[in-house]
Structure formats: C-alpha cells, structure tokens
Amino acid sequence: MLDRLNKKPNDLSAFWMPFTANRQFKQAPRMLVAAQDMHYTADDGRKVMDGTAGLWCVNAGHCRPKITEAIQKQAAELDYAPAFQMGHPIVFEFANRLAAMSPEGMDHVFFTNSGSESVETALKIALAYHRARGDGSRFRLIGRERGYHGVNFGGISVGGIVSNRKMFGTLLTGVDHLPHTHLPAKNAFTRGEPEHGADLADELERIVTLHDASTVAAVIVEPVAGSTGVLIPPKGYLKRLREICDKHGILLIFDEVITGFGRLGAPFAADYFGVVPDIMTTAKGVTNGVIPMGAVFVKKEIHDAFMNGPEHMIEFFHGYTYSGNPIACAAGLATLDTYQEEGLLTRASELSDHWADALHSLKGEPHVIDIRNIGLVGAIELESIPGEPTKRAFSAFLKAFERGLLIRTTGDIIALSPPLIITKGQIDEMIDNLRDVLRMVD
Ligand code: PXG
C-alpha cells in the first residue's frame, strides 16, 4: 500500500498506451504539455510544430478560444443529460447545423463518441435498414484491403489491416474485401488523383456476382485511405463504386473520419469527389478533436425506413450513454463557428498547390520512393531497410520530433496532415525540416 502511495506521479508504468511501442516510449518518453494553434510545447519547453493535426483531428489548430469557452460554459450549465428518451436543446441544434452543411440528402445525424463507434453504427444501420424494408437477406458487408475503420469488431472485420485483425479470432462473418488501390508501379509521384486504377472498382462487380447481390448490404470505403499511408482514389474510381452499388441496391458508406471537415479542401470528401454516399461516418474534426465525438450522417430514405411500427416503440436499438453529450455538442458548435468564420473548410483547396509543390520538392531525397498529396494531406513513402520494415520511418519520426516537428508514420510511410490554419511559410518550414531529417536517417 505504502509503495503505491509513494509512487511518483510521473511513474509511467500503469498506463498501457494505445498503438504505441510502450517499452520504447517509457525508456525515452516524448511528452507534450501544452499546445496553441500550430504548435505543441514539449516538457523540455521546446516548440513542436504539429504536422498531423494531432491524430488528423485538430483541424482548426490547438486551444482555440471559442471552443474552449463553449466547453467551459456548457460544463457549468448542463453537464450531462440522459441520451435515451430525453433530449436537450443543443444536441438538436448541432444535428441541424451538421445536416445543413452535409452533402445533398444526408438529412439525419446519429451521434457517437469516436470514429470506431461511428463505423459500428453505420454498419448496423445498413443491416437494419435492409431488414426494416423486408430485405433481410442482405447481410454481407464489403470493405477493402488497407482500409482502416477503427478498432471495434465490425470495423476490423471490414477493415483491411492485417496486424489489426490477425490476433482477434473469427471477426464478423459474411465479410468480403475489395482490393486496395495503391499502384506505385504505375502511379508513383502523382500529384493529386492518380490516373491508373479506376478499373479496380469493377472488382466490386465480381464480388457481388460471387455472393449474389441479394445478399450484399453495404460497401464501406475511406474516400482517401488515411491510416495505411494516404492512398488516393484513382480518377473515376469512387463514381464507379457508386454506380455499381446503385445497380445492385447496395448501400455505399464513406468513412470520412479523416476526410470530413475540410481536410481535402471541401467540407467532405463526398463534396470534393462529387460522389454522395448513403451513409457517412465522421468523428475527429467534428469537435476539432477536443472532446470525443462522432457523427453518422444518413440519407432521409434510410432514416425514414425505420420510422414505422407503434409510435411508443424504439425504432433502432442502438446508441451510447454519451451520444450527443452536451459538452461535446457545445464543442462541436463552436468548432463549426470557427471553421466558418475562418473559411477553414475550403482553405485546403487554396493551399493545396503550394502544399503539393513543397511536398514534391522532396523527390530525390534519400530513400524516397513515392510522394502523394491531396487537399492538405501528404505522404512520403520510404524504401524499407531490408528485413526491418517500419524502422526507417520510425527513425525519421524520432529525429523529426527532436527537431521540433511532429509527423505520423505507418509502415515506412510518413503521413502529414497539418491543421488547416497552417500558413504557406509554415508549410515551407515543415518541409525544409523534413528534408533535413530525411538526409539524416540511415
Ligand atoms: N475510420 C477512419 C477512416 C479512421 O481514420 C477511425 C475510423 C477510428 O476512429 P477512432 O476515433 O475510433 O480512433 C479512424 C481513426 C493515423 C491514425 O495516424 C488514424 C486514426 C486514428 C489514430 C491514428 O493514421 N484514424
């Protein structure tokens, strides 16, 4: 007991860190103690530029006053209200604001607390929708290789990341996968959408033929795959997926957890690509990452299919204790205000040429085998050290942090997704720093 009480507050052992090399971290911790706008402050007082908007979520930059104040005010006024069978005003206000800015026809919003929960919610809505319409034989879900849809069982089942799946048993049954669209041999160093690979969407036709369309409920894809290294859809690919889904009565789900709220230079990837899904999952940027929240957008027809049966009956047996939590809604409303006042939902489109030029100037630096970009997202793919995949990019990550820049790595790919408030000068600073880092790592 005494031992426990005597533990130093900064003992690192109790906290089992998520998606982290725990032993490595605890030997050489990297601690962030404060943040403002484009920068973190590390515990040694160094400023660290945020090259990744936290984990793709702090789109308006850090500690924005309007959001902070809204959270403080809401916490003092109505801290919590039951999410089931009760309401509170700002959850309706926030849903209306979101619906008003969503792609055409996505009139209804279901709140969750994370991207993972948004995905589970979307998959359940898709299955239950078909059943509510008397088409309950549609039980199959189609995902894609290299897809990331969070870490819960539905999400890892439709997801396509081997290490996120292999330890966890049988997962969901009735799931199949499209091939991923990453074709470096044909598309390396493309600026924006690659030319080659739209025909990979036709694989959906093959999968549907194999299982018969009458068994397929939904297809879920990230419009731009983020976590597995920024895989940008080939020109025409998403439109083709939409057409095949329409032809067979299959719902199309876009996982916009990363692409939502301005990352590509339009409010959603659906707007950017001109392809509207039936269901759209979001999280992260919905509250600027400040309070956990997710929002699933649903077309009117899908929502309305549930609204039958006796009126005292619950229509959809799903929801979370914190669905539409008042403080999260307050943070979300203030976030939308900030995005709107500062034009952040379209700012990436103004910066994307400068961003692309800066990123692609890294071509020819040591080990760089591909560079990809879209909106304010970029990836620099490094050649792996033979027999030691991920090691080179991880060294770059450590070196960059030492030099005051936070980047993300996945495999041997460096991913960049700065807050949308970044200036052109800061883009240049970031890329120059990264250039030095690339020249330093083995
Ligand atoms: N869908 C997509 C497309 C995502 O990118 C999730 C769902 C799950 O969200 P939650 O809120 O449950 O984590 C995500 C999350 C990275 C990285 O560095 C990406 C995510 C999370 C953490 C790190 O690529 N994406």
Side-chain angles (χ1 to χ4, degrees):
M1 184 65 185
L2 212 68
D3 261 6
R4 293 188 63 171
L5 290 176
N6 283 340
K7 254 188 180 172
K8 286 199 215 115
N10 59 353
D11 187 306
L12 304 185
S13 61
F15 176 34
W16 187 351
M17 299 174 72
F19 274 120
T20 296
N22 275 253
R23 289 159 303 161
Q24 191 277 345
F25 181 95
K26 289 170 189 180
Q27 279 164 32
R30 299 173 292 279
M31 296 287 203
L32 303 172
V33 295
Q36 187 63 56
D37 301 327
M38 276 298 300
H39 292 88
Y40 287 107
T41 308
D43 59 352
D44 55 4
R46 282 179 316 119
K47 289 271 176 266
V48 178
M49 186 188 277
D50 186 356
T52 57
L55 289 176
W56 313 79
C57 50
V58 187
N59 290 1
H62 293 273
C63 291
R64 301 306 308 274
K66 196 159 202 169
I67 303 171
T68 311
E69 281 158 26
I71 292 167
Q72 288 168 336
K73 186 165 166 280
Q74 187 62 43
E77 190 175 298
L78 176 69
D79 52 353
Y80 178 81
F84 306 163
Q85 304 286 19
M86 294 301 293
H88 57 90
I90 68 166
V91 71
F92 293 95
E93 186 187 343
F94 191 36
N96 286 334
R97 283 278 296 276
L98 289 169
M101 66 178 282
S102 68
E104 178 86 51
M106 311 213 77
D107 293 345
H108 297 276
V109 180
F110 197 103
F111 286 113
T112 71
N113 309 290
S114 66
S116 298
E117 288 182 1
S118 288
V119 167
E120 303 303 299
T121 299
L123 298 176
K124 287 171 81 174
I125 289 174
L127 293 172
Y129 161 74
H130 289 297
R131 195 167 152 135
R133 292 166 61 243
D135 200 1
S137 71
R138 289 187 182 265
F139 63 90
R140 284 186 205 283
L141 300 166
I142 314 289
R144 191 169 60 186
E145 296 164 355
R146 295 186 71 159
Y148 184 60
H149 300 295
V151 290
N152 293 343
F153 272 103
I156 61 173
S157 302
V158 293
I161 303 182
V162 179
S163 43
N164 287 6
R165 293 161 51 90
K166 70 180 179 196
M167 306 297 276
F168 307 112
T170 54
L171 311 184
L172 279 190
T173 56
V175 171
D176 211 336
H177 290 79
L178 287 161
H180 65 72
T181 62
H182 188 42
L183 304 172
K186 290 182 175 165
N187 291 327
F189 296 103
T190 300
R191 287 171 67 114
E193 292 166 76
E195 290 296 331
H196 305 283
D199 51 326
L200 287 168
D202 294 330
E203 286 293 305
L204 179 57
E205 197 67 77
R206 186 184 60 77
I207 292 171
V208 170
T209 306
L210 173 68
H211 297 298
D212 196 79
S214 67
T215 71
V216 182
V219 172
I220 180 166
V221 292
E222 301 160 85
V224 173
S227 291
T228 54
V230 185
L231 314 182
I232 297 161
K235 279 184 187 154
Y237 173 87
L238 294 171
K239 279 207 164 72
R240 185 84 193 105
L241 277 190
R242 177 72 275 181
E243 285 160 12
I244 299 170
C245 285
D246 284 346
K247 180 171 150 201
H248 296 293
I250 298 167
L251 297 180
L252 180 61
I253 306 171
F254 277 178
D255 186 344
E256 295 230 23
V257 166
I258 279 179
T259 53
F261 302 99
R263 180 53 53 198
L264 304 186
F268 298 97
D271 304 309
Y272 182 92
F273 292 109
V275 177
V276 181
D278 301 294
I279 304 176
M280 197 169 76
T281 56
T282 69
K284 296 190 187 268
V286 70
T287 56
N288 203 35
V290 178
I291 301 275
M293 184 174 228
V296 181
F297 293 71
V298 177
K299 274 197 176 154
K300 182 175 185 321
E301 305 85 88
I302 296 176
H303 166 270
D304 289 355
F306 287 80
M307 299 301 135
N308 52 31
E311 284 195 3
H312 70 281
M313 284 291 294
I314 291 166
E315 294 103 355
F316 180 41
F317 283 83
H318 180 73
Y320 303 97
T321 300
Y322 306 112
S323 285
N325 172 276
I327 299 175
C329 290
L333 281 165
T335 295
L336 294 189
D337 287 344
T338 305
Y339 290 159
Q340 268 153 20
E341 284 160 17
E342 300 179 14
L344 296 180
L345 297 180
T346 50
R347 186 170 155 78
S349 67
E350 291 150 27
L351 290 173
S352 67
D353 279 344
H354 188 89
W355 176 245
D357 289 344
L359 270 173
H360 284 271
S361 76
L362 296 172
K363 187 175 179 181
E365 296 299 339
H367 316 301
V368 172
I369 55 172
D370 188 14
I371 297 174
R372 310 183 272 281
N373 71 283
I374 190 163
L376 259 182
V377 186
I380 299 141
E381 184 150 1
L382 305 180
E383 194 175 7
S384 299
I385 298 171
E388 295 183 299
T390 77
K391 198 169 174 192
R392 179 168 280 147
F394 191 61
S395 303
F397 164 74
L398 295 177
K399 183 56 78 184
F401 182 67
E402 223 178 272
R403 294 173 51 84
L405 172 64
L406 190 67
I407 60 176
R408 277 290 291 167
T409 65
T410 169
D412 275 303
I413 302 166
I414 294 169
L416 298 171
S417 57
L420 305 173
I421 56 168
I422 194 169
T423 63
K424 286 184 180 171
Q426 287 167 329
I427 290 175
D428 298 344
E429 190 190 320
M430 176 191 299
I431 299 297
D432 285 345
N433 200 342
L434 199 53
R435 190 188 316 282
D436 293 341
V437 168
L438 291 172
R439 290 177 185 178
M440 282 172 184
V441 293
D442 297 329

